[in-house]
Amino acid sequence: MTDFDPDALPATGAAQRLAEQVWRVVAPNPGPLTGAGTNSYVITGGRPIVIDPGCDDPAHLGRVLEAAGGSAAMILCTHSHPDHSPGAAWLRERTGAPLLGQPAPHDGHQDPDYAPDGDLADGARFDSGAGTLVAIHTPGHASNHVCLLLEESGVLFTGDHLMSGSTVIIIPPDGSMRLYLESLRRLRELPLTALLPGHGARIPEPLAEIDRVIAHRMLREERLVRSLAARGRATLDELLPEVYADVPKFMHVYARYSLLAHAVKLVEEGRARVEGETYAWRGA
Ligand SMILES: [Zn+2]
């Protein structure tokens, strides 16, 4: 384990120390949606806590366990996507620590082996040995998503609700753009000092980042509204190249999910109607 500049880019390998009692270990699962890999976090202290064990890779999980000092009191999952929770079983078996997380939805996008021992309800509080950790339910990226706040220091473990360097994917119907934005506005009210995302580097200016993400999503929604209003009626495949003209083509397969999420939000708000594959603009 080595001391590390907390703002350096994450890299797979040795645990990186971000604060007195907070370590990051990057899982070896890099990709277009995961960046350098999933960030597993360890809060050391009297009751070591692991947040998001990442993929089920024994070398990675061995580094997580080493950072925790060889034992863990709790394993917490921000949500149950397959890049965040599968390593929990390995850690649970070796430490006896319970896995806490909200129950998984059944939408075909979850870790099939995710089986929490207990819930991670909104407002749940834990003594981590390094301060109080508070669960904050943040549906949007996934309906069972929670962020975790180290209350005394204002550090927020954001899971996939906010990530540095890329846009969070939202897959309806479990993912919801409307709830995602509501959750962001809720986080805005907290006295945050730094964000530790599930992917990418530490984000040092939480409020600016949250406002940037809200503005980015609203700009995308405006582009959809403009395209749909101009056409009157259109399918997602017709709208995609217009609304995401600035996004490289190879990312359109992912962007299409977010486009769907924006379209569903317009339907929920009564601004559009959907008939089969076609969205119709209703105005306003
Ligand atoms: Zn996720």
mmCIF file of all heavy atoms in Angstrom, residues 79 81 83-84 141-142 145 160 169 199, ligand 1:
data_model
loop_
_atom_site.group_PDB
_atom_site.id
_atom_site.type_symbol
_atom_site.label_atom_id
_atom_site.label_comp_id
_atom_site.label_asym_id
_atom_site.label_seq_id
_atom_site.Cartn_x
_atom_site.Cartn_y
_atom_site.Cartn_z
ATOM 1 N N HIS A 79 -25.275 -0.265 -5.129
ATOM 2 C CA HIS A 79 -26.328 -0.877 -5.942
ATOM 3 C C HIS A 79 -25.798 -2.212 -6.444
ATOM 4 O O HIS A 79 -24.684 -2.600 -6.093
ATOM 5 C CB HIS A 79 -26.777 0.054 -7.075
ATOM 6 C CG HIS A 79 -25.714 0.388 -8.088
ATOM 7 N ND1 HIS A 79 -24.504 0.951 -7.755
ATOM 8 C CD2 HIS A 79 -25.684 0.247 -9.452
ATOM 9 C CE1 HIS A 79 -23.784 1.139 -8.844
ATOM 10 N NE2 HIS A 79 -24.468 0.709 -9.890
ATOM 11 N N HIS A 81 -25.399 -3.521 -9.693
ATOM 12 C CA HIS A 81 -24.926 -3.762 -11.060
ATOM 13 C C HIS A 81 -23.689 -4.660 -11.010
ATOM 14 O O HIS A 81 -22.948 -4.649 -10.024
ATOM 15 C CB HIS A 81 -24.617 -2.432 -11.753
ATOM 16 C CG HIS A 81 -25.854 -1.746 -12.275
ATOM 17 N ND1 HIS A 81 -25.900 -0.414 -12.563
ATOM 18 C CD2 HIS A 81 -27.091 -2.237 -12.540
ATOM 19 C CE1 HIS A 81 -27.119 -0.104 -13.011
ATOM 20 N NE2 HIS A 81 -27.857 -1.192 -12.997
ATOM 21 N N ASP A 83 -20.773 -4.687 -12.034
ATOM 22 C CA ASP A 83 -19.410 -4.201 -11.817
ATOM 23 C C ASP A 83 -19.207 -3.713 -10.382
ATOM 24 O O ASP A 83 -18.122 -3.246 -10.033
ATOM 25 C CB ASP A 83 -19.054 -3.076 -12.815
ATOM 26 C CG ASP A 83 -20.028 -1.922 -12.787
ATOM 27 O OD1 ASP A 83 -21.229 -2.160 -12.529
ATOM 28 O OD2 ASP A 83 -19.602 -0.777 -13.016
ATOM 29 N N HIS A 84 -20.224 -3.803 -9.534
ATOM 30 C CA HIS A 84 -20.118 -3.261 -8.168
ATOM 31 C C HIS A 84 -20.205 -4.302 -7.057
ATOM 32 O O HIS A 84 -19.502 -4.193 -6.066
ATOM 33 C CB HIS A 84 -21.195 -2.191 -7.931
ATOM 34 C CG HIS A 84 -20.874 -0.907 -8.590
ATOM 35 N ND1 HIS A 84 -20.368 0.185 -7.933
ATOM 36 C CD2 HIS A 84 -20.930 -0.550 -9.900
ATOM 37 C CE1 HIS A 84 -20.134 1.160 -8.795
ATOM 38 N NE2 HIS A 84 -20.475 0.738 -9.994
ATOM 39 N N HIS A 141 -30.049 6.132 -11.440
ATOM 40 C CA HIS A 141 -29.189 5.199 -12.188
ATOM 41 C C HIS A 141 -29.732 3.776 -12.014
ATOM 42 O O HIS A 141 -29.757 2.989 -12.957
ATOM 43 C CB HIS A 141 -27.755 5.313 -11.665
ATOM 44 C CG HIS A 141 -26.835 4.255 -12.190
ATOM 45 N ND1 HIS A 141 -26.425 4.205 -13.504
ATOM 46 C CD2 HIS A 141 -26.253 3.197 -11.567
ATOM 47 C CE1 HIS A 141 -25.631 3.158 -13.666
ATOM 48 N NE2 HIS A 141 -25.510 2.531 -12.510
ATOM 49 N N ALA A 142 -30.148 3.463 -10.798
ATOM 50 C CA ALA A 142 -30.819 2.198 -10.489
ATOM 51 C C ALA A 142 -31.787 2.496 -9.341
ATOM 52 O O ALA A 142 -31.505 3.366 -8.509
ATOM 53 C CB ALA A 142 -29.812 1.131 -10.070
ATOM 54 N N HIS A 145 -30.316 2.294 -5.743
ATOM 55 C CA HIS A 145 -29.028 2.963 -5.556
ATOM 56 C C HIS A 145 -29.008 3.809 -4.279
ATOM 57 O O HIS A 145 -29.942 4.547 -4.002
ATOM 58 C CB HIS A 145 -28.730 3.865 -6.760
ATOM 59 C CG HIS A 145 -27.304 4.328 -6.820
ATOM 60 N ND1 HIS A 145 -26.789 5.278 -5.965
ATOM 61 C CD2 HIS A 145 -26.271 3.931 -7.604
ATOM 62 C CE1 HIS A 145 -25.513 5.453 -6.251
ATOM 63 N NE2 HIS A 145 -25.170 4.656 -7.231
ATOM 64 N N ASP A 160 -22.581 4.974 -8.574
ATOM 65 C CA ASP A 160 -22.726 5.385 -9.973
ATOM 66 C C ASP A 160 -23.673 6.567 -10.124
ATOM 67 O O ASP A 160 -24.110 6.862 -11.229
ATOM 68 C CB ASP A 160 -23.254 4.213 -10.818
ATOM 69 C CG ASP A 160 -22.144 3.246 -11.200
ATOM 70 O OD1 ASP A 160 -20.982 3.509 -10.852
ATOM 71 O OD2 ASP A 160 -22.448 2.233 -11.845
ATOM 72 N N ILE A 169 -25.005 6.119 -17.031
ATOM 73 C CA ILE A 169 -26.007 5.520 -17.912
ATOM 74 C C ILE A 169 -27.296 5.265 -17.113
ATOM 75 O O ILE A 169 -27.250 4.882 -15.947
ATOM 76 C CB ILE A 169 -25.458 4.230 -18.565
ATOM 77 C CG1 ILE A 169 -26.349 3.795 -19.723
ATOM 78 C CG2 ILE A 169 -25.299 3.110 -17.572
ATOM 79 C CD1 ILE A 169 -25.684 2.776 -20.641
ATOM 80 N N HIS A 199 -16.508 5.353 -10.170
ATOM 81 C CA HIS A 199 -15.585 5.295 -11.309
ATOM 82 C C HIS A 199 -14.925 6.659 -11.445
ATOM 83 O O HIS A 199 -15.600 7.680 -11.388
ATOM 84 C CB HIS A 199 -16.323 4.953 -12.610
ATOM 85 C CG HIS A 199 -17.119 3.693 -12.517
ATOM 86 N ND1 HIS A 199 -16.576 2.447 -12.758
ATOM 87 C CD2 HIS A 199 -18.409 3.478 -12.174
ATOM 88 C CE1 HIS A 199 -17.511 1.520 -12.579
ATOM 89 N NE2 HIS A 199 -18.643 2.124 -12.219
HETATM 90 ZN ZN ZN B 1 -24.206 0.915 -12.020
#
